[in-house]
Amino acid sequence: SLLGYRVTGLGLELSKITMPVIFNEPLSFLQRLTEYMEHTYLVQKTSASQDSIHRMKCVAAFAVSAVASQWERTGKPFNPLLGETYELLRSDLGFRWVSEQVSHHPPVSAFHAEGIKSNFMFHGSIYPKLKFWGKCVEAEPRGIITLELPLHNEAYTWTNPTCCVHNIIMGQLWIEQYGNVEIINHKTGERCRLTFKPCGIFGKELHKVEGYILDKSKRKICALYGKWTECLYSVDPATFGAHRKSDTKRSEKDRKGSTQSNNAAEEPDEMPPPEAETVQVIAGSELIWRISPRPDNSRKYYAFTSFALQLNELDAEMERALPQTDCRLRPDIRALENGDIDAASAEKNRLEEKQRTARKHRSKSDEEWKIRWFHQGPNPYTGAPDWLYTGGYWDRNYSHLPDIY
């Protein structure tokens, strides 16, 4: 669903191509990133917990839940303009969030969220690296994600799994996430190693996530399993091992009777059938997270969750407080939300041209672009290059902001 950022592999670089607005959903990528916060209650639970293994379970569930909103979301978010910002203040969920597009080539989005009660900080920067494989686009979301818990003097870091959108040329679009995610507790040395499984033959593995929480000597403390579209459970590692063994035997029997088609290159990637039986719950398991149901009209509205449906809301009081760079004020996104495709397309082209003209002007005049709310620096826990919050956004002093719309 991060289609259209930057595509390498078959020589296509989509970030330089203007994509028709009909491929978009009426949100900016900065708003899309904010959907990490839909299940913030998991972070609140983490902060309140006195047990480090229980905290790791909640962080793992939060990391899995962060990608759950991508299920069936095949619309492409709008590429943020350089200097674009987005804020979200949700006192009901106990957090405030600010993000900024800090680089255009390559596209880098930086974000910083904090608990209203100062019980957590959640921050990171995402640079979606895309590869085009003919029938699908694979988005590898480079960048580190950090969760800090001041009450426990703890920090956790991880990276997101790879997202793949199938059938971008023909057939029904569908999404899978795959790859390994390692969450590290930098204070205790405990880790959680999760595998987001690729679809596999017959679609049996589609959406599955499983892994283990390990102590600092790499001993398995508990197993985690579920689906990123649905739920996450924890169970004793020995019980999980026995369950996997019996499951593998069944799968081998199924495989013996299978044959593969030879003309796969010409056919769309078949969407796996919806399973009657979803996650098989192992006896003795504890439920850590379950997805919130989508609203009844979700399919009519770009498969948005209830959380996503609220991201572009704008009232008069909010408009007075927001900086002029906030995505809610972007005319192309607003026009698409209102169903005016022609106006959205015209505005999108105008904004992209305005951005190009401003860049040319800066290169001629040696004028430096000023990043407002973030700065480059090493991640305090991994040492890897990162974008860190400079502070000052919530002081509401927005003079000297660029006119990007």
Side-chain angles (χ1 to χ4, degrees):
S1 56
L2 307 176
L3 250 169
Y5 267 86
R6 183 162 216 159
V7 178
T8 55
L10 297 184
L12 245 97
E13 182 160 330
L14 291 187
S15 65
K16 302 267 176 76
I17 296 170
T18 301
M19 301 284 282
V21 82
I22 53 161
F23 289 116
N24 287 81
E25 60 177 28
L27 289 177
S28 165
F29 183 67
L30 293 183
Q31 290 167 305
R32 186 72 177 260
L33 274 181
T34 313
E35 294 182 55
Y36 282 171
M37 304 305 287
E38 181 170 351
H39 300 93
T40 307
Y41 75 89
L42 290 164
V43 178
Q44 309 288 8
K45 270 173 80 171
T46 308
S47 180
S49 171
Q50 296 308 309
D51 175 66
S52 68
I53 297 298
H54 183 253
R55 288 198 292 276
M56 182 62 94
K57 285 181 191 177
C58 294
V59 175
F62 180 63
V64 172
S65 77
V67 298
S69 69
Q70 295 193 27
W71 178 46
E72 295 190 334
R73 290 277 289 282
T74 51
K76 168 194 171 302
F78 281 73
N79 292 356
L81 300 163
L82 183 63
E84 187 172 307
T85 61
Y86 182 71
E87 70 165 69
L88 189 63
L89 180 57
R90 289 289 299 259
S91 47
D92 56 330
L93 298 176
F95 75 87
R96 60 186 192 179
W97 162 292
V98 60
S99 53
E100 179 180 7
Q101 191 70 5
V102 291
S103 170
H104 185 62
H105 285 302
V108 180
S109 310
F111 65 87
H112 180 92
E114 55 202 34
I116 288 168
K117 295 177 180 169
S118 304
N119 56 339
F120 74 87
M121 284 191 301
F122 175 61
H123 53 92
S125 50
I126 302 290
Y127 159 27
K129 182 86 175 170
L130 279 98
K131 290 174 188 161
F132 180 53
W133 299 108
K135 289 187 289 186
C136 64
V137 165
E138 192 179 68
E140 182 196 333
R142 298 187 173 181
I144 307 157
I145 293 173
T146 305
L147 174 67
E148 299 183 48
L149 304 175
L151 297 176
H152 303 284
N153 196 21
E154 274 181 351
Y156 300 79
T157 58
W158 67 94
T159 55
N160 277 330
T162 295
C163 175
C164 187
V165 184
H166 291 269
N167 298 338
I168 57 166
I169 311 294
M170 61 184 279
Q172 189 186 350
L173 287 166
W174 60 279
I175 290 172
E176 62 175 331
Q177 310 256 4
Y178 44 75
N180 297 320
V181 170
E182 183 172 63
I183 305 164
I184 301 170
N185 179 333
H186 289 268
K187 182 182 176 186
T188 65
E190 289 153 354
R191 288 162 195 258
C192 176
R193 289 185 180 150
L194 292 172
T195 301
F196 285 70
K197 299 200 156 195
C199 173
I201 194 165
F202 301 133
K204 286 221 156 149
E205 303 290 298
L206 184 67
H207 304 154
K208 280 191 182 175
V209 183
E210 58 183 49
Y212 293 95
I213 294 175
L214 314 167
D215 66 15
K216 62 181 177 191
S217 58
K218 299 194 176 159
R219 186 170 59 93
K220 289 175 182 172
I221 302 296
C222 79
L224 302 176
Y225 69 96
K227 289 192 172 185
W228 61 267
T229 51
E230 210 176 303
C231 57
L232 193 70
Y233 287 90
S234 74
V235 74
D236 172 75
T239 310
F240 184 66
H243 174 82
R244 273 182 77 176
K245 257 186 198 158
S246 62
D247 221 31
T248 308
K249 279 179 187 161
R250 273 202 303 275
S251 299
E252 278 170 2
K253 269 187 197 164
D254 291 347
R255 258 202 298 273
K256 279 172 187 164
S258 80
T259 55
Q260 286 269 181
S261 159
N262 291 326
N263 59 346
E266 290 80 45
E267 294 175 357
D269 293 334
E270 202 167 310
M271 187 171 178
E275 290 180 72
E277 165 201 357
T278 53
V279 173
Q280 195 183 342
V281 182
I282 304 164
S285 297
E286 174 202 1
L287 178 69
I288 314 169
W289 162 75
R290 186 176 291 288
I291 197 167
S292 312
R294 298 219 173 161
D296 294 339
N297 57 357
S298 174
R299 281 181 183 276
K300 281 190 199 166
Y301 295 103
Y302 305 93
F304 281 0
T305 62
S306 301
F307 187 88
L309 281 168
Q310 300 171 59
L311 290 174
N312 215 32
E313 279 180 5
L314 180 64
D315 58 37
E317 188 186 341
M318 199 189 284
E319 199 163 355
R320 283 193 294 274
L322 288 174
Q324 64 189 38
T325 49
D326 194 281
C327 318
R328 294 176 184 86
L329 306 173
R330 256 186 86 156
D332 51 353
I333 295 178
R334 188 62 63 187
L336 183 61
E337 185 179 280
N338 295 334
D340 191 338
I341 303 241
D342 292 344
S345 187
E347 282 295 337
K348 182 170 176 280
N349 292 339
R350 180 185 68 79
L351 291 175
E352 286 167 352
E353 193 48 50
K354 181 172 181 169
Q355 179 167 246
R356 278 191 285 272
T357 306
R359 193 164 62 239
K360 279 180 194 160
H361 172 75
R362 281 197 307 275
S363 66
K364 281 179 187 164
S365 65
D366 293 330
E367 187 191 327
E368 284 279 310
W369 174 261
K370 185 172 182 289
I371 294 156
R372 266 56 186 193
W373 312 112
F374 292 83
H375 60 274
Q376 267 185 304
N379 181 283
Y381 306 101
T382 67
D386 203 352
W387 287 85
L388 306 166
Y389 180 51
T390 303
Y393 178 86
W394 300 101
D395 299 342
R396 299 287 185 209
N397 175 11
Y398 302 134
S399 53
H400 317 303
L401 283 181
D403 168 22
I404 56 174
Y405 304 143

